Structure formats: structure tokens, C-alpha cells
Amino acid sequence: MELERLQRTVIQCRKCPRLVAYLQEVPQHKPRRYRDWDYWSKPLPSFGDPHARVLIVGLAPAAQGGNRTGRMFTGDRSGEWLFNALYQFGFANQPNSLWRDDGFKLDDCYITATIRCAPPKNKPLPEEIENCRPYFLKELDLLKKVQVIVPLGQIAFAQTLKSLRQKGVEIPPLSFGHGKIYSLRTPNSVGNADLSSLRTLITTYHPSQQNTQTGKLTRPMFHRIFRTIEKKLEL
Ligand code: SF4
């Protein structure tokens, strides 16, 4: 199917020379706890339920997390938070995932990212974000049932808005914060995209270690986001 074909293309992508070089470098400096791991070190495909009503947009894979295991958020601290919340609210079949063949499955949810290669210091360059944008735009075309979109953190929020605007969705300037709910008015057909189901954008702080360890994002705050998602979903 087309979504799977797209992800196979992503895995082979080499558009960003700085990131391609960095991915080769990362396994040469493995922390001791991962010394037996054979790192994925390629672009990461998005994954989840192709009929999902919820689309989660991360920032970028973590060098020692998804970039090691080969699946977004799998085996990293942000993933622990995200997968746990997804499980609590019925969008995943197990509360965590540490490697990509451990049977973890998403239901009614799809996970993608602003860029698909781990960047040095978690900071992608603007041109790298632009290089990767066409994959996200294509996913918006292919994920026809998405009703609620949830970018994780401010950068993913800004880039999601930019992508939606490129698809022709009229969105006024919106501010970022935790737990903001924005209604999206999408025409039945925008260009080539079928965004007719998309209704709501919900903002959240990223469940990064920096945010969760400092208490900027707590479990109740994160779970509130998922309660809102549940409320916003229509059959
Ligand atoms: S970040 Fe995206 S565009 Fe750049 S090399 Fe990786 S997959 Fe390709």
C-alpha cells in the first residue's frame, strides 16, 4: 500500500548530508549500556494504524533511542511517557516498547515526526526540516481519517501549522502552550489532500526528559491531553 511504499522511500532517503554523516557517527560512540546494540542509523519510518483518527507529530528521532532501535520513540525516555499514555487511553496494546519487534501496536493512532533522522544535539537545521517536509505532506494525503492532530512541543507545532497551511488549510496565527485546543476549518478537498476529517489541533509540551524531569510536564498534564483527544474524536 502507498503508505508503506512511502516509508520504504523514507528509509532510503539521503537528502541531508549532515544528518547522513551523523547517523554513521553515532554508533561509534555508543554508551556502555547499548554496546551490544546494532544501531538502525537510517531515517526512521513513521508507523501506526493507517486508518488512525489521531496523528501525533514528534520532533526528531533520538540518537540513542529511535535511531538505535529503528522505530520512532522506541527505547527512549520520551517514548516511555508517550507509549504509556497511549496505552492508558486505549491507543496502544502495551504500555511501553523497547525494541521494534516486541509486538507493540498502535490502534487508531499514527506517529510521525518533523524530521526522520536524528540530528546532532536534537537540533535540526531549517533546511533539513524543509527537506523532510514532503514526507509529512504526503502522509497528510494518505491518512484520510485523521480528525485530531497533536504536535509534541513547540517546534513540531510550528512545523505542523506550516505544513497544513501549505496544504491550503486557512489557519490564523496561533500561539503555543500546553493543552490549547484549536478548531481547524478544512474544506472538503484541499488541493490533492483529503483533509476533510481533520477538525482539531491540540498542543502539548514535548514529553522530553528535560520537560518531564523538571516537572514542566507532569503525568496528569499529559493525560489531560489524551482525555481531550478522546472527547474530540467523532465516530
Ligand atoms: S531528515 Fe528527512 S529529508 Fe533529511 S535525510 Fe533524513 S529522511 Fe531524508
Side-chain angles (χ1 to χ4, degrees), residues 97-112:
S97 178
L98 297 178
W99 62 92
R100 76 174 179 281
D101 298 321
D102 64 358
F104 180 82
K105 277 209 174 66
L106 293 171
D107 182 18
D108 209 7
C109 177
Y110 198 85
I111 296 180
T112 185

Side-chain angles (χ1 to χ4, degrees), residues 10 13-16 19-20 43 115-117 128 131-132 135:
V10 165
C13 180
R14 299 290 180 272
K15 280 197 256 178
C16 307
L19 300 182
V20 172
I115 69 162
R116 291 136 208 274
C117 292
E128 292 163 348
N131 285 347
C132 223
Y135 299 131

Side-chain angles (χ1 to χ4, degrees), residues 28-46:
Q28 291 167 27
H29 309 281
K30 295 178 193 176
R32 183 186 279 268
R33 65 189 185 282
Y34 299 139
R35 68 181 167 204
D36 296 330
W37 275 82
D38 189 9
Y39 277 46
W40 172 264
S41 276
K42 294 188 284 274
L44 284 185
S46 310

Side-chain angles (χ1 to χ4, degrees), residues 184-228:
L184 299 174
R185 289 203 5 230
T186 53
N188 279 346
S189 179
V190 183
N192 294 326
D194 182 357
L195 295 167
S196 56
S197 301
L198 184 58
R199 297 269 177 277
T200 309
L201 185 146
I202 300 172
T203 62
T204 171
Y205 294 147
H206 193 288
S208 64
Q209 239 180 314
Q210 199 187 355
N211 286 342
T212 55
Q213 282 189 343
T214 56
K216 183 173 180 184
L217 180 65
T218 62
R219 298 252 185 211
M221 283 168 72
F222 202 42
H223 285 190
R224 251 195 328 271
I225 299 295
F226 286 84
R227 264 195 293 282
T228 309

Side-chain angles (χ1 to χ4, degrees), residues 52-119:
R53 291 180 299 166
V54 179
L55 178 61
I56 291 181
V57 187
L59 169 59
Q64 307 294 339
N67 177 60
R68 168 175 54 88
T69 61
R71 193 171 58 195
M72 289 183 185
F73 289 102
T74 301
D76 66 41
R77 289 287 168 85
S78 304
E80 273 178 36
W81 271 62
L82 178 62
F83 293 159
N84 185 275
L86 288 169
Y87 174 72
Q88 301 284 336
F89 286 83
F91 295 106
N93 66 336
Q94 54 191 56
N96 199 7
S97 178
L98 297 178
W99 62 92
R100 76 174 179 281
D101 298 321
D102 64 358
F104 180 82
K105 277 209 174 66
L106 293 171
D107 182 18
D108 209 7
C109 177
Y110 198 85
I111 296 180
T112 185
T114 304
I115 69 162
R116 291 136 208 274
C117 292

